[in-house]
Amino acid sequence: MGHLNIKNRLIAAPMAGISDLPFRSLCYQFGAGLAFSEMFLANEQIWHTEQSLQKMASKHELGIKAVQIVGSDPDEMAKTAELNVIHGAELIDINMGCPAKKVNKKLAGSALLQYPNLVEQILLNVVQAVNVPVTLKIRTGWDKAHKNCIEIAQIAQRCGIKAITIHGRTRECLFKGLAEYDSIKEVKKNITIPVIANGDITCPEKANEVLKYTNADAIMIGRAAQGKPWIFEDIGFYLENKSLKPEKNIDEVKQIVLQHIKSIHQFYGEKKGLLIARKHVFWYTQNYINSDHFRRLFSAINHATQQIDALEAFFCTITVKS
């Protein structure tokens, strides 16, 4: 991808409120070849805030420092890319796939797919502004009547974009129904830059199937990594050995969860860290018997050390759902 050496075909998706440094670190630890940051807004008025600073590249990043930016003004997007490169970003990804209303109403995210000329200007400005690879993430189109992912991908290639990720849904679909891969397959046939397939890749078998069907160069994992960041390790093992890796035992899972929650506390501080930890604990524990009661109790804990103690106690008593 440009001059960067991506060690494999497994990429962790940029997810708002999730893909922070502690989460990306786990994804890299368990075999992701690349892990994108959550969206960094092209808005100079908020660049000084703690929230924006936490989304920038970090010297503690285990892998490639990849930051995703979002916005609709070509000049602002270029400035945003420059800022992040100055602060250490080694790769810039442009978000034109987010379906959220609050993003789309500002003509950002997947709303841009309706305006190919504006897409082209944004891509040109960003590529010309930085000396690192620039990638693009899109959906198949705004709605089923206006699927234009091939057109957008060809524009991206002409503008110097180094790779394109395609989520196999339109903006209209949000995250409903099943992702389709025919569009991704067609894009791959019509451009020469790397294509990354995204959407509903939830297990090693599905990852293998999507790679074969679309002929994509890589796959991107999003929601399936929530509560299971070792999914990259599982997929990598399957692609290499054509067999499933043995599931992690309870003690192994416990150690991963504790590592993650402690790193959240350290990264955000206790006050914010407590809140961030709750959603991750929900995902980590949802497949265990009697976990509903535990999560209700966990949500009422107001001290970091008590969260760790509660998790220690929980993992000593749980059994896996049949």
Side-chain angles (χ1 to χ4, degrees), residues 243-294:
S243 62
L244 292 173
K245 193 175 188 297
E247 290 190 10
K248 295 194 178 301
N249 61 42
I250 296 299
D251 187 61
E252 289 174 316
V253 173
K254 181 183 77 170
Q255 295 307 318
I256 295 167
V257 176
L258 291 175
Q259 173 191 339
H260 191 184
I261 302 309
K262 288 176 182 177
S263 66
I264 288 173
H265 292 158
Q266 182 177 10
F267 184 69
Y268 289 105
E270 184 170 47
K271 184 176 179 181
K272 188 175 180 180
L274 286 167
L275 300 176
I276 301 292
R278 288 171 186 169
K279 61 184 173 184
H280 287 283
V281 167
F282 176 90
W283 291 319
Y284 279 122
T285 60
Q286 63 185 338
N287 291 323
Y288 298 114
I289 294 172
N290 298 325
S291 60
D292 290 345
H293 177 65
F294 168 76

Side-chain angles (χ1 to χ4, degrees), residues 65-297:
K65 301 175 180 68
V67 177
Q68 186 185 71
I69 63 174
V70 62
S72 58
D73 181 272
D75 292 332
E76 287 184 353
M77 289 288 278
K79 289 179 183 178
T80 305
E82 286 180 297
L83 173 77
N84 279 281
V85 170
I86 289 170
H87 282 81
E90 300 170 299
L91 187 155
I92 296 294
D93 186 62
I94 299 174
N95 183 318
M96 294 189 183
C98 179
K101 285 185 179 180
K102 66 179 181 179
V103 174
N104 291 171
K105 71 180 182 181
K106 297 179 181 178
L107 199 61
S110 56
L112 286 165
L113 299 177
Q114 301 170 98
Y115 307 98
N117 290 337
L118 180 55
V119 167
E120 183 172 21
Q121 195 58 58
I122 291 172
L123 300 184
L124 283 172
N125 281 27
V126 173
V127 168
Q128 292 169 5
V130 296
N131 61 355
V132 301
V134 180
T135 58
L136 174 65
K137 188 169 192 286
I138 66 171
R139 288 190 166 225
T140 57
W142 178 250
D143 57 33
K144 292 181 180 179
H146 301 90
K147 286 188 177 182
N148 62 343
C149 52
I150 294 177
E151 177 190 8
I152 298 297
Q154 290 173 334
I155 290 172
Q157 180 167 280
R158 291 199 303 269
C159 290
I161 293 298
K162 298 303 183 184
I164 184 167
T165 301
I166 306 159
H167 183 114
R169 290 182 173 88
T170 65
R171 187 275 167 188
E172 179 184 49
C173 294
L174 300 176
F175 293 99
K176 299 174 184 176
L178 299 175
E180 55 92 3
Y181 306 109
D182 291 335
S183 296
I184 301 173
K185 184 177 184 179
E186 289 305 308
V187 168
K188 178 61 184 172
K189 291 178 181 178
N190 282 276
I191 61 174
T192 58
I193 61 174
V195 172
I196 302 161
N198 176 227
D200 292 353
I201 301 172
T202 56
C203 64
E205 297 96 328
K206 187 65 174 286
N208 186 56
E209 175 188 328
V210 171
L211 281 168
K212 284 187 175 181
Y213 183 75
T214 63
N215 199 32
D217 300 275
I219 52 172
M220 179 175 282
I221 310 298
R223 289 173 291 168
Q226 296 172 3
K228 194 176 181 180
W230 56 89
I231 190 172
F232 301 98
E233 184 178 74
D234 290 348
I235 292 174
F237 184 90
Y238 186 87
L239 293 178
E240 183 175 350
N241 300 286
K242 296 299 180 286
S243 62
L244 292 173
K245 193 175 188 297
E247 290 190 10
K248 295 194 178 301
N249 61 42
I250 296 299
D251 187 61
E252 289 174 316
V253 173
K254 181 183 77 170
Q255 295 307 318
I256 295 167
V257 176
L258 291 175
Q259 173 191 339
H260 191 184
I261 302 309
K262 288 176 182 177
S263 66
I264 288 173
H265 292 158
Q266 182 177 10
F267 184 69
Y268 289 105
E270 184 170 47
K271 184 176 179 181
K272 188 175 180 180
L274 286 167
L275 300 176
I276 301 292
R278 288 171 186 169
K279 61 184 173 184
H280 287 283
V281 167
F282 176 90
W283 291 319
Y284 279 122
T285 60
Q286 63 185 338
N287 291 323
Y288 298 114
I289 294 172
N290 298 325
S291 60
D292 290 345
H293 177 65
F294 168 76
R295 289 197 297 272
R296 285 194 294 270
L297 295 175

